Each structure stands twice: as structure tokens, then as C-alpha cells.
Amino acid sequence: GAFYYPLVGEAMRAVDRRHYVRFADFAYSDAPMALGLADECCGMSISAPHLHAACLQVLAPALRPGAWALDVGCGSGWMTAA
């Protein structure tokens, strides 16, 4: 879908989701995926990219270069990195 804030799309493309999911072959699917090894992550997952995009769209107006944001419960860290 379209981004209201083009920087959201740029940020998401700049951080390779492949490094944050268990099965790299499916990293670019718009679906939630398991994190790490099954025994390490206790069934945790990374949300689908469209959900991360929606969250970042809401945050975009408040974020500025050099700004700080506290992300509680991010899980994989992918959205925080974006």
C-alpha cells in the first residue's frame, strides 16, 4: 500500500527483515513469522510488515532526526531499527 509519509517506506526498506526472522526464505512475506530458534524465543513472533508500517505511519509526525523513542515490547527490534 501507499505510505502517507515516504520516509516510513524508506526506513523499512533500509532495515533488512531477513536478519530478524527465523526463516530467511520467507522474510519478505507480509505475514507474522517466528523469531529465532523455537527453544530460544518461547513462541514469540515478528508482526507482519503491514502492521509495522501502520504503526510507523502513526509515529512519523512525532519523530525527528536525533529524536529518542521508547519501544516497550518490540520483540525482534525490527520496527525500532526502522
Side-chain angles (χ1 to χ4, degrees):
F3 290 105
Y4 298 120
Y5 299 97
L7 288 177
V8 169
E10 291 174 28
M12 290 181 68
R13 285 186 289 275
V15 181
D16 195 342
R17 189 171 185 244
R18 177 176 56 90
H19 300 295
Y20 295 84
V21 298
R22 183 174 179 190
F23 301 108
D25 292 347
F26 301 103
Y28 309 111
S29 300
D30 190 25
M33 300 188 68
L35 290 177
L37 300 174
D39 58 340
E40 291 177 353
C41 294
C42 304
M44 294 188 330
S45 64
I46 182 174
S47 299
H50 77 271
L51 184 55
H52 286 150
C55 293
L56 290 171
Q57 288 285 115
V58 171
L59 289 172
L63 298 177
R64 302 284 179 260
W68 290 64
L70 175 62
D71 188 351
V72 178
C74 181
S76 69
W78 184 63
M79 189 166 71
T80 301

